[in-house]
Amino acid sequence: MKTSTIAAISTAMTNSGIAIIRISGEEAIPIVHSVFVNKKNQKCLDSYRSHTIHYGYIVDEKGVSVDEVMVSVMKAPHSYTMEDIVEINCHGGVYIVQKIMEIVIHAGARAAEPGEFTKRAFLNGRIDLSRAEAVMDIISSKNEFALQSSMQMLKGSLFHLIKNIREEILYEIAFIESALDDPEHISLENYPEKLHEKSSSLCEKLKKLLDSAHDGKLLKEGIQTVIVGKPNVGKSSFLNLLIGDEKAIVTDIAGTTRDILEETISLGGITLNITDTAGIRNTDDIVEKIGVERAKKVLEEADLVIYMIDASTPIDENDFDIIHMIADKKAIILLNKSDLDVCVTEEEIGTYFSDNRKIIRTSMTQEEGMDCFTKTVKDMFLEGKISYNDEVYITNIRHKEAIKDAYESMLQVKKSIENSMPEDFYSIDLMSAYASLGTIIGEEVGEDLVNEIFSKFCMGK
Ligand code: GDP
């Protein structure tokens, strides 16, 4: 069946230096051939070799030149979509880009849907679904970790890992099936023990992947960080130092940071999504109370709590409330105002927690302790954990769900063996693990899911 030839503006729709219109499909070359002339005013695109780029003009249906362009030709199957692709590099004005797009549509192309080029790359078998999704992840990467883990996925790290696990499962399914078909020649004696061992090792692999999802999400989307502490201890000053401008209002009056401020900052390759809460303390002020309730909620959802104390004044019951609230949270404690006479020490704070807490002396006015803070965050979330090259991190919720299903099916296989169930019980759960993992690479997915995944892509990708 002949597929339609699609076209899209692949660059951002704002005035810019250049823009690219991409055309893919069997008619890509004839369509652009009909609207492109070289400097001798000849139409000759159809005679060009693959992977070459050419100077000329785009002309409208009356033959009037509308822009000076460079046109590149990538012939099937050596292109992004595995179809013939022509890309027009034109000037990047919104009007001219749209004009060329209209000319291309008029010449026979249809406007592509979001992600349709990548969808074709997937449907034509150049990349599996995990690699197609990696393309989108690269585009939306906000930090180095997100970029590197997506790049690994685009290179096929997840695909190969999943493919290998599936092959191991398929081997067992085939073995059971053939033994059941031909019991005279293939014996299942001692097989359950072997399968149990194999299932345990597969469960371990799947569990490791599942565990990586937590770190992967944190590092890709950022660590939900919350700053807590009584009013006036220096939270806004700290936030301002981190952000580098005067966004939070710094005042001497307790309780003036009423609402919640949110900021995303990059700290040595890690993204912190920081929330500064209203000073947590018991209060009768209604407006402030709303802030305090929200603060408690934010605290519950936080991956990291930064608890700031004014070390120049003794701690009181409001601090104990906070200490109680963060007892089981990952926290860094800042003993601020260390430039003044201090009465709160690390030893004292240490006694209020049952485990070892990171405690750092800081002074916001002297800008002291910030390097130590950065290092502590890095140690807590990165040290020894991230190696971009050989580790596969699960950062996509769809992949995580599929791995979780497969893991549960494999646990079920083990359980059936432990309960001496008949062999065909093993096959059912092995098949189900095989199918769940298949959805990650796109082997067991329906059209609806494929459409849904690609509909989230950008236009022109
Ligand atoms: P918040 O209410 O916790 O957000 O505290 P602010 O950042 O608004 O600071 C309250 C007051 O304490 C301001 O006058 C700050 O200049 C002052 N302050 C903040 N950090 C320090 C510090 O490390 N040393 C000293 N001496 N004063 C500080």
Side-chain angles (χ1 to χ4, degrees), residues 207-419:
K207 182 76 176 45
K208 193 169 162 229
L209 278 177
L210 271 183
D211 289 345
S212 81
H214 181 66
D215 292 341
K217 182 177 170 288
L218 279 189
L219 295 165
K220 183 182 167 196
E221 291 170 15
I223 298 162
Q224 285 310 121
T225 308
V226 98
I227 309 178
V228 292
K230 287 183 304 187
N232 237 17
V233 296
K235 300 184 296 300
S236 309
S237 310
F238 173 64
L239 195 62
N240 285 342
L241 268 186
L242 281 179
I243 301 165
D245 66 22
E246 292 285 313
K247 197 149 188 175
I249 312 152
V250 181
T251 61
D252 289 328
I253 310 152
T256 42
T257 314
R258 289 227 165 136
D259 214 341
I260 292 183
L261 290 166
E262 281 179 334
E263 277 298 337
T264 297
I265 64 147
S266 182
L267 205 68
I270 315 176
T271 303
L272 297 187
N273 302 320
I274 299 195
T275 307
D276 173 27
T277 61
I280 291 186
R281 59 167 193 169
N282 293 322
T283 172
D284 292 331
D285 181 329
I286 298 290
V287 183
E288 212 174 295
K289 231 177 190 164
I290 296 167
V292 173
E293 283 312 309
R294 278 183 64 194
K296 284 188 181 165
K297 187 160 183 314
V298 174
L299 198 60
E300 270 166 33
E301 290 161 7
D303 303 311
L304 170 67
V305 176
I306 299 164
Y307 168 32
M308 186 174 259
I309 296 170
D310 175 352
S312 69
T313 50
I315 68 165
D316 58 22
E317 81 265 20
N318 289 320
D319 285 295
F320 288 121
D321 284 349
I322 297 175
I323 289 169
H324 179 69
M325 279 194 280
I326 66 170
D328 52 6
K329 304 251 34 155
K330 214 172 208 178
I332 299 176
I333 297 157
L334 304 181
L335 294 183
N336 193 38
K337 305 201 185 181
S338 61
D339 53 295
L340 303 178
D341 281 342
V342 298
C343 58
V344 184
T345 63
E346 285 97 329
E347 291 73 38
E348 179 190 352
I349 297 301
T351 60
Y352 301 132
F353 289 95
S354 57
D355 48 1
N356 263 339
R357 293 290 164 139
K358 304 274 178 209
I359 304 172
I360 304 168
R361 279 176 184 270
T362 60
S363 165
M364 294 307 134
T365 46
Q366 310 295 312
E367 302 191 10
E368 276 169 20
M370 298 302 278
D371 290 347
C372 184
F373 169 75
T374 305
K375 188 182 174 304
T376 307
V377 175
K378 274 185 162 179
D379 286 350
M380 270 172 127
F381 290 91
L382 283 188
E383 187 101 337
K385 267 188 176 174
I386 305 292
S387 78
Y388 296 134
N389 299 325
D390 46 10
E391 292 270 329
V392 174
Y393 282 85
I394 301 300
T395 53
N396 175 313
I397 184 95
R398 191 182 77 78
H399 300 167
K400 184 184 167 190
E401 290 302 316
I403 292 169
K404 192 162 154 260
D405 289 346
Y407 175 66
E408 277 160 13
S409 299
M410 290 311 300
L411 285 181
Q412 196 54 45
V413 174
K414 284 174 68 179
K415 223 185 238 170
S416 300
I417 298 170
E418 285 152 18
N419 295 334

Side-chain angles (χ1 to χ4, degrees), residues 73-250:
V73 179
M74 286 149 280
K75 292 187 181 170
H78 303 292
S79 75
Y80 186 74
T81 53
M82 290 184 85
E83 301 170 338
D84 284 347
I85 286 189
V86 180
E87 285 180 1
I88 303 171
N89 283 240
C90 59
H91 288 113
V94 171
Y95 179 75
I96 179 63
V97 178
Q98 259 163 356
K99 173 105 187 162
I100 295 175
M101 179 70 184
E102 277 164 26
I103 290 174
V104 169
I105 299 285
H106 187 256
R110 130 172 111 65
E113 287 159 19
E116 200 170 357
F117 294 94
T118 313
K119 184 177 172 183
R120 288 190 174 193
F122 165 63
L123 293 176
N124 292 331
R126 191 177 70 80
I127 49 174
D128 74 289
L129 202 50
S130 74
R131 278 179 279 195
E133 287 171 302
V135 170
M136 198 56 217
D137 286 350
I138 287 177
I139 294 172
S140 59
S141 289
K142 287 197 223 108
N143 59 38
E144 193 59 26
F145 171 81
L147 176 63
Q148 290 298 337
S149 63
S150 314
M151 216 25 238
Q152 285 304 320
M153 192 153 88
L154 184 63
K155 284 183 179 167
S157 58
L158 181 62
F159 170 74
H160 291 296
L161 190 72
I162 295 297
K163 188 167 153 275
N164 291 342
I165 297 179
R166 286 183 94 220
E167 273 167 11
E168 288 187 58
I169 296 175
L170 192 61
Y171 176 87
E172 304 304 329
I173 298 171
F175 185 81
I176 298 171
E177 296 299 315
S178 31
L180 293 176
D181 278 354
D182 186 8
E184 277 176 34
H185 294 100
I186 306 174
S187 159
L188 282 173
E189 213 184 306
N190 299 330
Y191 176 70
E193 293 76 38
K194 270 194 215 150
L195 180 61
H196 194 274
E197 209 172 290
K198 179 49 133 322
S199 303
S200 297
S201 117
L202 288 175
C203 278
E204 231 169 80
K205 281 187 197 169
L206 294 170
K207 182 76 176 45
K208 193 169 162 229
L209 278 177
L210 271 183
D211 289 345
S212 81
H214 181 66
D215 292 341
K217 182 177 170 288
L218 279 189
L219 295 165
K220 183 182 167 196
E221 291 170 15
I223 298 162
Q224 285 310 121
T225 308
V226 98
I227 309 178
V228 292
K230 287 183 304 187
N232 237 17
V233 296
K235 300 184 296 300
S236 309
S237 310
F238 173 64
L239 195 62
N240 285 342
L241 268 186
L242 281 179
I243 301 165
D245 66 22
E246 292 285 313
K247 197 149 188 175
I249 312 152
V250 181

